[in-house]
Amino acid sequence: MREPKRVAVLSSGGGTNLQALIARFNPAPAPAARVELVIGGRAGIAALQRAARAGVPAVVLDAREIGVDALAARMLDELERHRIDIVVLAGWLQLIPLEVVRRYEGRMLNIHPALLPAFGGKGMYGIRVHRAVLESGVRVSGATVHHVTDRYDEGSIVLQWPVPVLPGDTPEALALRVLAVEHRILPLAVEALASGDHASASPAGEVCFDLLTARVPPDSSVRALLAEPGSTGE
Ligand code: GRF
């Protein structure tokens, strides 16, 4: 039987996407992948508590403390020590050093809370993304999983899912609706990559969701994740 691919999740905050990945992969008997390492961008974040509760090893690599120059070596060291096959950025706010991007080319994914290439790029993160979406007047937003390159939000797109912008939306309400979808598509994309099915999950490939009938998780599931003790809901 094939060994599950060893996944590292990098998070700088609430870690609800991390939780969705752990829920999908870690309890299963023979999953395609397993979360084996969490790298936190700063100490004390909820993602680290989630890792501890799930029994997943975690380390903190805060570039402000160790310095940007040391970050690449420390990160590669941790990824190699834990024999990581796939790296997932889920709310990671620091720039990924070029050496790490190169080492994991084609094996590093990021989740972005909008439909790239719109509303992406430097400075477009967190609630700012949803604010910009609302200010633009578009009626559809969504979530995007894409490969990581050395430029913000520019790697090839693996999966996208639309989310309606509703009348009277606030950035916070839209963020919650998008987050529920993120929790669904990120595990799908990781599973596709881990099972070698990646080509079929490419935009030109055969994986296509029936957007008319597809059910996205109700808000209650994202609220349950956000309500976990210690969650900052970032
Ligand atoms: C998500 O919206 C993700 O798209 C963005 O940061 C947020 C992280 O949320 N990159 P969480 O930490 O997984 O709860």
Side-chain angles (χ1 to χ4, degrees):
M1 201 172 50
R2 209 166 56 168
E3 286 290 303
K5 288 281 191 282
R6 299 174 66 84
V7 175
V9 181
L10 275 57
S11 169
S12 301
T16 65
N17 278 292
L18 162 67
Q19 193 77 54
L21 291 167
I22 288 172
R24 169 74 164 246
F25 296 122
N26 286 35
R34 204 179 151 79
V35 181
E36 300 283 3
L37 174 67
V38 171
I39 298 183
R42 54 200 157 101
I45 57 175
L48 295 169
Q49 295 170 27
R50 293 180 190 277
R53 278 203 299 275
V56 176
V59 291
V60 177
L61 293 182
D62 187 338
R64 292 167 307 184
E65 278 175 12
I66 60 176
V68 178
D69 293 344
L71 187 63
R74 289 286 305 278
M75 200 175 266
L76 282 175
D77 190 48
E78 291 296 341
L79 295 173
E80 272 159 23
R81 205 156 60 81
H82 290 270
R83 294 178 288 115
I84 295 303
D85 301 304
I86 293 174
V87 177
V88 179
L89 312 186
W92 177 258
L93 293 179
Q94 305 170 38
L95 194 65
I96 297 291
L98 195 56
E99 294 97 303
V100 182
V101 173
R102 288 202 177 122
R103 185 78 58 90
Y104 280 88
E105 195 186 351
R107 298 185 291 144
M108 188 184 290
L109 300 176
N110 180 48
I111 178 106
H112 184 79
L115 293 178
L116 292 175
F119 307 107
K122 196 163 166 31
M124 268 296 184
Y125 59 85
I127 206 71
R128 295 177 185 202
V129 176
H130 306 291
R131 241 181 244 136
V133 166
L134 292 182
E135 276 163 17
S136 77
V138 295
R139 305 316 307 164
V140 178
S141 188
T144 302
V145 180
H146 65 96
H147 281 287
V148 175
T149 66
D150 58 340
R151 298 165 74 106
Y152 280 108
D153 300 328
E154 284 194 14
S156 64
I157 291 169
V158 176
L159 277 181
Q160 288 187 304
W161 197 299
V163 172
V165 176
L166 301 180
D169 252 349
T170 59
E172 291 74 18
L174 179 59
L176 259 190
R177 202 175 308 119
V178 171
L179 198 53
V181 164
E182 293 181 39
H183 296 162
R184 178 156 179 181
I185 68 169
L186 185 57
L188 274 180
V190 172
E191 189 152 8
L193 182 58
S195 54
D197 202 13
H198 193 231
S200 66
S202 76
E206 308 85 58
V207 170
C208 63
F209 298 98
D210 181 347
L211 295 174
L212 292 177
T213 56
R215 285 188 57 233
V216 295
D219 274 1
S220 58
S221 68
V222 74
R223 292 228 166 81
L225 275 176
L226 290 168
E228 288 211 1
S231 166
T232 61
E234 203 165 303

